[in-house]
Amino acid sequence: MGTKGEQDFEAVVEFNTGSIKPPLWIARAGSACDKVGNMGKSFDIGLERLTGMGVGEDGQPQEGGVKPPLQDASGDLKIGPYLNAIETKSAQPGMAVPPGSTFYLETFGCQMNDHDSEKVAGVLLARGYRQVNGPEAAKVILYNTCSIREKAAQKVFSRLGELRPADEQHGKSFNTEDTEEEHRVHRDGRALEKNHPSQRKIVNAAGGKIIGVLGCVAQQEGEEIFERAPWVSLVCGSASYRKLPQLIAELEAGNRRVTGLDTDTDETFETEITRRDNPWRAYLTIIEGCDKACSYCVVPFTRGPERSRASASILEEIRQLAEAGYSEVQLLGQTVNSYADPSARKMRFSELLAAVAEVRGIRRVRFTTSHPRDFGKDIVEAIEAHPTICDHVHLPVQSGSTAVLRAMARTYSREEYLEKIALLKAARRPISITTDMIVGFPGETEKDFEETLSLLDEVQYDSVFAFKYSPRPNTPSLKMPDAIAEEEKGRRLAILMDRQREIQRVMNERLVGETFEVLVDGKSRRENQWSGHTSSNRVMNFTSPEQELLGDYVQVKVVSAMPNSLVGEMVGRTR
Ligand code: SAM
Ligand code: SF4
């Protein structure tokens, strides 16, 4: 995976990571996990999924996806129909910033970060800013960061280093050229396009610019960031994004430094304008933060406590999205199925799913990530009752060993997890199941690891995102004895991936001859080659002589299969 050329179908899969793949789509960078999955890289779950999966040049999983903004042929940023529909609002007179004010926003990490960035962009657009695709041209430079694993967090400081003003260089004038190669490899394990912004010089970039760090690293490091990079003027964690418009206004008014670091909030981050990047799939955060306390995880520290958005507000936005032309929505949350409607309606998550599925114009409803503890029969029943709810559930298990699960504080045993899997397998239509695994957790014995491998055999996942355990600040597991050596973690990861790849190869081969509905979201440079996703989120690369298919729902018959994707030919359209 990861570094192949575009000559074969696997490579097409690699490039069709996310969701959108118009001809001028800029490839997203590598991510934090290694994924063995036919669900494609557009898989939208917890941290780092969806961001472009990959293995680096060194064969190691890459940390923290980086998403350069999408742009079209003119160099303007690409936007979805929803923004087009509401963009007029941002163009209204009376906005606070001087004409020509611009911002650059780069996102690291997970799907929730991606979507937060869409909302942050909306906040800035509403103030009259224009988004540009490189830091040089920007008045405001923002990095939305990820700290789920160590490497992801390090990347942000490397990026901030690129912006170090000349007078902070101890006499050395800053020039990215000397580190350019390294960054190219770090970003996604393959060379970036020649004209990518990262390849241009950023000399004395901080001069006169507002530089901000958002997201998990901001929350984790707080004002320390000002110490390490004094040219930064905004530090704001995701739990304080409600304050962003005010913080930005303070900077515009001349304040030198501002912070938003509270986590004791019961508010969610909703904005009037969201700059949606994907023209077909719209993301909606329905629950923010996390109240679980997995012993390895920084999320409860960095994203604050769980808080859910009122069901009426969610449904209203989905109606607007459908009217604006979106046919697929994805409900997001670190533990999306722990949703607790704060309004008097008190909708359960499964009831919300059903209500979303009934919104006129919505043809696909996805949700991620589900926590096994809160996953019940009612969710399976909602899927069965509503064909618009996609036949795919991502249910992270983390380990197949009850002893390790206990040490991780996951709140379920292997057997209890398997009971949830049994609910899914008993459903009236086949439901794809995918998961996350961590290998090399402190104290994980060879026997524990064998149990993880046997869980793969037992469940037969459609895709697995596997991570080497990464010790994180403030987490209980940091102090646990019996750390596993990096080399051993790598060995276990490789074994797990090999085992899973073989499972997927066999499972996908069974699909040859079947026909699936595909939402077309990619066009290859090669003639007549398209790609898209099935309801089960499998990547389908297919041939069709049609001239324009992007955004259409078509019927594709599978002609061959690979571990990570299906290959087919279009046999018709879906009305
Ligand atoms: N909330 C979801 C859940 O509980 O399953 C997952 C969200 S989490 C932010 C995304 C994934 O990152 C986790 O499922 C886990 O596999 C992985 N992860 C989290 N912390 C990690 C760590 N310290 N080291 C390695 N992987 C980690
Ligand atoms: Fe992290 Fe656990 Fe919360 Fe998932 S449920 S975000 S792994 S603490």
Coordinates of all heavy atoms in Angstrom, one line a residue, residues 201-273:
K201 N 9.3 28.3 -1.0 CA 10.0 28.9 0.1 C 9.0 29.7 1.0 O 8.1 30.4 0.5 CB 11.0 29.9 -0.4 CG 12.2 29.3 -1.0 CD 13.2 30.3 -1.4 CE 14.4 29.7 -2.1 NZ 15.4 30.7 -2.5
I202 N 9.2 29.6 2.3 CA 8.4 30.4 3.2 C 9.4 31.2 4.0 O 9.9 30.7 5.0 CB 7.5 29.6 4.1 CG1 6.8 28.6 3.3 CG2 6.6 30.5 4.9 CD1 6.1 27.5 4.2
V203 N 9.8 32.3 3.5 CA 10.9 33.1 4.2 C 10.2 34.1 5.1 O 9.3 34.9 4.7 CB 11.8 33.8 3.2 CG1 12.9 34.6 3.9 CG2 12.4 32.7 2.3
N204 N 10.6 34.2 6.4 CA 10.1 35.1 7.3 C 8.6 35.2 7.3 O 8.0 36.2 7.2 CB 10.7 36.5 6.9 CG 10.5 37.5 8.1 OD1 10.2 37.0 9.2 ND2 10.8 38.7 7.9
A205 N 8.0 34.0 7.3 CA 6.6 33.9 7.1 C 5.8 34.6 8.2 O 4.7 35.1 8.0 CB 6.1 32.5 7.0
A206 N 6.3 34.6 9.4 CA 5.5 35.2 10.5 C 5.3 36.7 10.4 O 4.4 37.2 11.0 CB 6.2 34.8 11.8
G207 N 6.2 37.4 9.6 CA 6.1 38.8 9.6 C 4.7 39.3 9.2 O 4.2 39.0 8.1
G208 N 4.0 39.9 10.2 CA 2.7 40.5 9.9 C 1.6 39.5 9.8 O 0.5 39.9 9.5
K209 N 1.9 38.3 10.1 CA 0.8 37.3 10.0 C 0.3 36.8 11.3 O 1.0 36.9 12.3 CB 1.3 36.1 9.2 CG 1.7 36.4 7.8 CD 2.2 35.1 7.1 CE 2.9 35.5 5.8 NZ 2.0 35.2 4.6
I210 N -0.9 36.3 11.3 CA -1.5 35.7 12.5 C -1.3 34.2 12.3 O -1.7 33.6 11.4 CB -3.0 36.0 12.7 CG1 -3.2 37.5 13.0 CG2 -3.6 35.1 13.7 CD1 -4.7 37.9 13.0
I211 N -0.6 33.6 13.3 CA -0.3 32.1 13.2 C -1.0 31.4 14.4 O -0.8 31.8 15.5 CB 1.2 31.8 13.2 CG1 1.8 32.4 11.9 CG2 1.4 30.3 13.2 CD1 3.3 32.4 11.8
G212 N -1.8 30.5 14.1 CA -2.6 29.8 15.2 C -2.5 28.3 15.2 O -2.4 27.7 14.1
V213 N -2.5 27.8 16.4 CA -2.5 26.3 16.5 C -3.9 25.9 17.1 O -4.2 26.4 18.2 CB -1.4 25.8 17.4 CG1 -1.4 24.3 17.6 CG2 0.0 26.2 16.8
L214 N -4.6 25.1 16.4 CA -5.9 24.6 16.9 C -5.9 23.1 17.2 O -4.9 22.4 16.9 CB -7.0 24.9 15.8 CG -7.0 26.2 15.2 CD1 -8.1 26.2 14.1 CD2 -7.4 27.3 16.2
G215 N -6.9 22.6 17.9 CA -7.1 21.2 18.0 C -6.3 20.6 19.2 O -6.0 21.2 20.2
C216 N -6.0 19.3 19.0 CA -5.6 18.5 20.2 C -4.2 18.9 20.7 O -4.0 18.9 21.9 CB -5.6 17.0 19.8 SG -7.3 16.4 19.5
V217 N -3.3 19.2 19.8 CA -1.9 19.7 20.3 C -2.1 21.0 21.1 O -1.5 21.2 22.1 CB -0.9 19.8 19.2 CG1 0.4 20.4 19.7 CG2 -0.7 18.4 18.5
A218 N -3.0 21.9 20.6 CA -3.2 23.1 21.2 C -3.7 22.9 22.6 O -3.2 23.5 23.6 CB -4.2 24.0 20.4
Q219 N -4.7 22.0 22.8 CA -5.2 21.7 24.1 C -4.2 21.0 25.0 O -4.1 21.4 26.2 CB -6.4 20.7 23.9 CG -7.2 20.6 25.2 CD -8.0 21.9 25.5 OE1 -8.7 22.5 24.7 NE2 -7.7 22.5 26.7
Q220 N -3.4 20.2 24.4 CA -2.4 19.4 25.2 C -1.3 20.3 25.7 O -0.8 20.2 26.8 CB -1.9 18.3 24.4 CG -1.1 17.2 25.1 CD -0.8 16.1 24.2 OE1 -1.6 15.3 23.8 NE2 0.5 16.1 23.8
E221 N -0.7 21.1 24.8 CA 0.5 21.9 25.1 C 0.1 23.2 25.7 O 0.9 23.9 26.3 CB 1.3 22.0 23.8 CG 1.8 20.7 23.2 CD 2.8 20.0 24.0 OE1 3.6 20.6 24.7 OE2 2.7 18.7 24.1
G222 N -1.0 23.7 25.3 CA -1.5 25.0 25.9 C -0.5 26.2 25.6 O 0.1 26.2 24.5
E223 N -0.3 27.0 26.6 CA 0.6 28.2 26.4 C 2.0 27.8 26.2 O 2.8 28.7 25.8 CB 0.4 29.2 27.5 CG -1.1 29.6 27.6 CD -1.3 30.8 28.5 OE1 -0.3 31.3 29.0 OE2 -2.5 31.1 28.7
E224 N 2.4 26.6 26.5 CA 3.8 26.1 26.2 C 4.1 26.4 24.7 O 5.3 26.6 24.4 CB 3.9 24.6 26.4 CG 4.0 24.2 27.8 CD 5.5 24.3 28.2 OE1 6.3 23.7 27.6 OE2 5.7 25.0 29.2
I225 N 3.1 26.4 23.9 CA 3.4 26.6 22.4 C 4.0 27.9 22.2 O 4.8 28.1 21.4 CB 2.0 26.4 21.6 CG1 1.6 24.9 21.7 CG2 2.2 26.8 20.1 CD1 0.3 24.6 21.1
F226 N 3.5 28.9 23.0 CA 4.1 30.3 22.8 C 5.6 30.3 23.2 O 6.3 31.0 22.6 CB 3.3 31.3 23.7 CG 1.9 31.5 23.3 CD1 0.9 31.6 24.3 CD2 1.5 31.7 22.0 CE1 -0.4 31.8 24.0 CE2 0.2 31.9 21.7 CZ -0.8 31.9 22.7
E227 N 5.9 29.4 24.1 CA 7.3 29.3 24.5 C 8.2 28.7 23.4 O 9.2 29.2 23.1 CB 7.5 28.4 25.8 CG 6.7 28.9 27.0 CD 7.3 30.2 27.5 OE1 8.5 30.3 27.6 OE2 6.5 31.1 27.8
R228 N 7.6 27.6 22.9 CA 8.4 26.9 21.8 C 8.4 27.6 20.5 O 9.3 27.5 19.7 CB 7.8 25.5 21.6 CG 8.1 24.6 22.8 CD 7.5 23.2 22.6 NE 8.2 22.4 21.6 CZ 7.9 21.1 21.3 NH1 7.0 20.5 22.1 NH2 8.5 20.5 20.4
A229 N 7.3 28.3 20.2 CA 7.2 29.0 18.9 C 6.6 30.4 19.2 O 5.4 30.6 19.0 CB 6.3 28.2 18.0
P230 N 7.4 31.4 19.6 CA 6.9 32.7 20.0 C 6.1 33.4 18.9 O 5.4 34.4 19.2 CB 8.1 33.4 20.5 CG 9.2 32.4 20.7 CD 8.9 31.3 19.8
W231 N 6.3 33.0 17.7 CA 5.6 33.6 16.6 C 4.2 33.2 16.4 O 3.4 33.7 15.6 CB 6.4 33.4 15.3 CG 6.8 32.0 15.0 CD1 6.1 31.1 14.2 CD2 7.9 31.3 15.4 NE1 6.7 29.9 14.1 CE2 7.8 30.0 14.9 CE3 9.0 31.6 16.3 CZ2 8.8 29.0 15.1 CZ3 9.9 30.6 16.6 CH2 9.8 29.3 16.0
V232 N 3.7 32.2 17.3 CA 2.3 31.8 17.3 C 1.5 32.8 18.1 O 2.0 33.3 19.2 CB 2.2 30.4 17.9 CG1 0.8 30.0 18.1 CG2 2.9 29.4 17.0
S233 N 0.3 33.2 17.6 CA -0.5 34.1 18.4 C -1.8 33.6 18.9 O -2.5 34.2 19.6 CB -0.6 35.4 17.6 OG -1.0 35.2 16.3
L234 N -2.2 32.4 18.4 CA -3.5 31.9 18.8 C -3.3 30.4 19.1 O -2.7 29.6 18.3 CB -4.5 32.0 17.6 CG -5.8 31.2 17.6 CD1 -6.7 31.7 18.7 CD2 -6.5 31.3 16.3
V235 N -3.8 30.0 20.3 CA -3.8 28.6 20.7 C -5.2 28.3 21.2 O -5.7 28.9 22.1 CB -2.8 28.4 21.8 CG1 -2.9 26.9 22.3 CG2 -1.3 28.6 21.3
C236 N -5.9 27.4 20.5 CA -7.3 27.1 20.9 C -7.6 25.6 20.7 O -7.4 25.0 19.6 CB -8.2 27.9 20.0 SG -9.9 27.8 20.4
G237 N -8.0 25.0 21.8 CA -8.4 23.6 21.7 C -9.8 23.4 21.2 O -10.6 24.4 21.2
S238 N -10.2 22.2 20.7 CA -11.5 22.0 20.1 C -12.6 22.3 21.0 O -13.7 22.7 20.5 CB -11.6 20.7 19.4 OG -11.6 19.7 20.5
A239 N -12.4 22.1 22.3 CA -13.5 22.3 23.2 C -13.9 23.8 23.4 O -14.9 24.1 23.9 CB -13.2 21.7 24.6
S240 N -13.0 24.6 22.9 CA -13.3 26.1 23.0 C -13.6 26.7 21.6 O -13.5 28.0 21.5 CB -12.0 26.8 23.6 OG -11.7 26.2 24.8
Y241 N -13.8 25.9 20.6 CA -14.1 26.5 19.3 C -15.2 27.5 19.2 O -15.3 28.4 18.4 CB -14.3 25.4 18.2 CG -13.0 24.7 17.8 CD1 -13.0 23.6 17.1 CD2 -11.7 25.3 18.1 CE1 -11.9 22.9 16.7 CE2 -10.6 24.6 17.7 CZ -10.7 23.4 17.0 OH -9.5 22.8 16.6
R242 N -16.1 27.4 20.2 CA -17.2 28.4 20.2 C -16.7 29.8 20.3 O -17.3 30.7 19.9 CB -18.2 28.1 21.4 CG -19.0 26.9 21.3 CD -20.1 27.1 20.3 NE -21.1 28.0 20.7 CZ -22.3 28.2 20.1 NH1 -22.5 27.5 19.0 NH2 -23.1 29.1 20.5
K243 N -15.5 29.9 20.9 CA -14.9 31.2 21.2 C -14.1 31.7 20.0 O -13.6 32.8 20.0 CB -14.0 31.1 22.4 CG -14.6 31.0 23.7 CD -13.5 31.2 24.7 CE -14.0 30.9 26.1 NZ -12.9 30.5 27.0
L244 N -13.9 30.9 19.0 CA -13.0 31.2 17.9 C -13.3 32.6 17.3 O -12.4 33.4 17.1 CB -13.0 30.2 16.9 CG -11.8 29.3 16.8 CD1 -11.9 28.4 15.5 CD2 -10.5 30.0 16.7
P245 N -14.6 32.9 16.9 CA -14.9 34.1 16.3 C -14.4 35.3 17.2 O -13.8 36.3 16.7 CB -16.4 34.2 16.2 CG -16.8 32.7 16.2 CD -15.8 32.0 17.0
Q246 N -14.6 35.2 18.5 CA -14.2 36.2 19.4 C -12.7 36.3 19.5 O -12.1 37.4 19.5 CB -14.8 35.9 20.8 CG -14.5 36.8 21.9 CD -14.7 36.1 23.3 OE1 -15.6 35.2 23.4 NE2 -13.8 36.4 24.2
L247 N -12.0 35.2 19.5 CA -10.6 35.2 19.6 C -10.0 35.8 18.3 O -9.0 36.6 18.4 CB -10.0 33.8 19.8 CG -10.4 33.0 21.1 CD1 -9.9 31.6 21.1 CD2 -9.8 33.8 22.3
I248 N -10.5 35.5 17.2 CA -10.0 36.0 16.0 C -10.2 37.5 15.9 O -9.4 38.3 15.5 CB -10.6 35.3 14.8 CG1 -10.1 33.9 14.7 CG2 -10.4 36.0 13.5 CD1 -10.8 32.9 13.8
A249 N -11.4 37.9 16.4 CA -11.7 39.4 16.5 C -10.7 40.1 17.3 O -10.2 41.2 17.0 CB -13.1 39.6 17.0
E250 N -10.3 39.5 18.5 CA -9.3 40.1 19.4 C -8.0 40.3 18.7 O -7.3 41.3 18.8 CB -9.1 39.3 20.6 CG -10.3 39.4 21.6 CD -10.2 38.5 22.8 OE1 -9.0 38.1 23.1 OE2 -11.2 38.1 23.3
L251 N -7.6 39.3 17.9 CA -6.3 39.4 17.2 C -6.4 40.4 16.1 O -5.5 41.2 15.9 CB -6.0 38.0 16.5 CG -5.6 36.9 17.5 CD1 -5.5 35.6 16.8 CD2 -4.2 37.2 18.1
E252 N -7.5 40.5 15.4 CA -7.7 41.5 14.4 C -7.6 42.9 15.0 O -7.2 43.9 14.4 CB -9.1 41.4 13.7 CG -9.1 40.2 12.7 CD -10.6 39.8 12.4 OE1 -11.5 40.3 13.0 OE2 -10.7 38.9 11.6
A253 N -8.1 43.0 16.3 CA -8.1 44.3 17.0 C -6.7 44.6 17.5 O -6.5 45.7 18.1 CB -9.1 44.3 18.1
G254 N -5.7 43.7 17.3 CA -4.3 44.1 17.7 C -3.8 43.3 18.8 O -2.6 43.5 19.2
N255 N -4.6 42.4 19.5 CA -4.1 41.6 20.6 C -2.9 40.8 20.1 O -3.0 40.2 19.0 CB -5.2 40.7 21.2 CG -5.9 41.4 22.3 OD1 -5.7 42.6 22.5 ND2 -6.7 40.7 23.0
R256 N -1.9 40.6 20.9 CA -0.7 39.9 20.5 C -0.9 38.4 20.6 O -0.5 37.6 19.8 CB 0.5 40.4 21.4 CG 1.7 39.6 21.3 CD 2.6 40.0 20.2 NE 3.8 39.1 20.2 CZ 3.9 38.0 19.6 NH1 2.9 37.4 19.0 NH2 5.0 37.3 19.6
R257 N -1.6 38.0 21.7 CA -1.8 36.5 21.9 C -3.1 36.2 22.5 O -3.5 36.9 23.5 CB -0.7 36.0 22.9 CG 0.6 35.7 22.1 CD 1.6 35.3 23.1 NE 2.8 35.0 22.3 CZ 4.0 34.9 22.8 NH1 4.2 35.0 24.1 NH2 5.1 34.6 22.1
V258 N -3.8 35.2 22.1 CA -5.1 34.8 22.6 C -5.1 33.3 22.8 O -4.5 32.6 22.0 CB -6.3 35.3 21.8 CG1 -6.4 36.8 21.8 CG2 -6.1 34.8 20.3
T259 N -5.9 32.9 23.8 CA -6.0 31.4 24.0 C -7.4 31.0 24.2 O -8.2 31.8 24.8 CB -5.2 30.9 25.2 OG1 -5.6 31.6 26.3 CG2 -3.7 31.0 25.0
G260 N -7.8 29.8 23.8 CA -9.1 29.2 24.2 C -8.8 27.8 24.6 O -8.5 26.9 23.8
L261 N -8.7 27.6 25.9 CA -8.2 26.3 26.4 C -9.1 25.6 27.4 O -8.8 24.6 28.0 CB -6.8 26.4 27.0 CG -5.7 26.8 26.0 CD1 -4.4 27.2 26.7 CD2 -5.5 25.7 25.0
D262 N -10.3 26.2 27.6 CA -11.2 25.6 28.6 C -11.8 24.3 28.0 O -12.0 24.2 26.8 CB -12.5 26.5 28.8 CG -12.1 27.9 29.4 OD1 -11.0 27.9 30.0 OD2 -12.8 28.8 29.3
T263 N -12.0 23.4 28.9 CA -12.7 22.1 28.5 C -14.0 22.0 29.2 O -14.8 21.1 28.9 CB -11.8 20.9 28.7 OG1 -11.3 20.9 30.0 CG2 -10.7 20.8 27.7
D264 N -14.2 22.8 30.2 CA -15.4 22.6 31.0 C -16.6 23.4 30.4 O -17.1 24.4 30.8 CB -15.2 23.2 32.5 CG -14.8 24.6 32.5 OD1 -14.4 25.1 31.5 OD2 -15.0 25.3 33.6
T265 N -17.0 22.8 29.2 CA -18.0 23.5 28.5 C -19.1 22.5 28.2 O -18.9 21.3 28.1 CB -17.5 24.0 27.1 OG1 -18.6 24.5 26.4 CG2 -16.8 22.9 26.3
D266 N -20.4 22.9 28.1 CA -21.4 22.0 27.7 C -21.9 22.4 26.3 O -22.9 22.0 25.8 CB -22.6 22.0 28.7 CG -23.1 23.3 29.0 OD1 -22.7 24.3 28.3 OD2 -24.0 23.5 29.8
E267 N -21.1 23.2 25.6 CA -21.5 23.7 24.3 C -20.8 22.9 23.2 O -19.7 22.3 23.4 CB -21.1 25.2 24.1 CG -21.9 26.1 24.9 CD -21.3 27.5 24.9 OE1 -20.0 27.6 24.7 OE2 -22.1 28.5 24.9
T268 N -21.5 22.8 22.1 CA -20.9 22.2 20.9 C -20.6 23.3 19.9 O -21.0 24.4 20.1 CB -21.9 21.2 20.2 OG1 -23.1 21.9 20.0 CG2 -22.2 20.0 21.1
F269 N -19.8 22.9 19.0 CA -19.3 24.0 18.0 C -20.2 24.0 16.8 O -20.1 23.1 15.9 CB -17.8 23.6 17.6 CG -17.2 24.6 16.7 CD1 -17.4 25.9 16.7 CD2 -16.3 24.1 15.7 CE1 -16.8 26.8 15.8 CE2 -15.7 24.9 14.8 CZ -15.9 26.3 14.9
E270 N -21.1 24.9 16.8 CA -22.0 25.0 15.6 C -21.7 26.4 15.0 O -21.6 27.4 15.7 CB -23.4 24.9 16.0 CG -23.8 23.5 16.4 CD -25.2 23.4 16.9 OE1 -26.1 23.9 16.2 OE2 -25.5 22.8 18.0
T271 N -21.7 26.4 13.7 CA -21.5 27.7 13.0 C -22.6 27.9 12.0 O -23.2 27.0 11.5 CB -20.1 27.7 12.3 OG1 -20.2 26.6 11.3 CG2 -19.0 27.5 13.2
E272 N -22.7 29.2 11.6 CA -23.7 29.5 10.6 C -23.3 29.0 9.2 O -24.1 28.6 8.4 CB -23.9 31.0 10.6 CG -25.3 31.4 10.4 CD -25.4 32.9 10.3 OE1 -24.8 33.6 11.1 OE2 -26.1 33.4 9.4
I273 N -22.0 29.1 9.0 CA -21.4 28.7 7.7 C -20.4 27.6 7.9 O -19.5 27.7 8.8 CB -20.8 29.9 7.0 CG1 -21.9 30.9 6.8 CG2 -20.1 29.5 5.7 CD1 -21.4 32.1 6.0

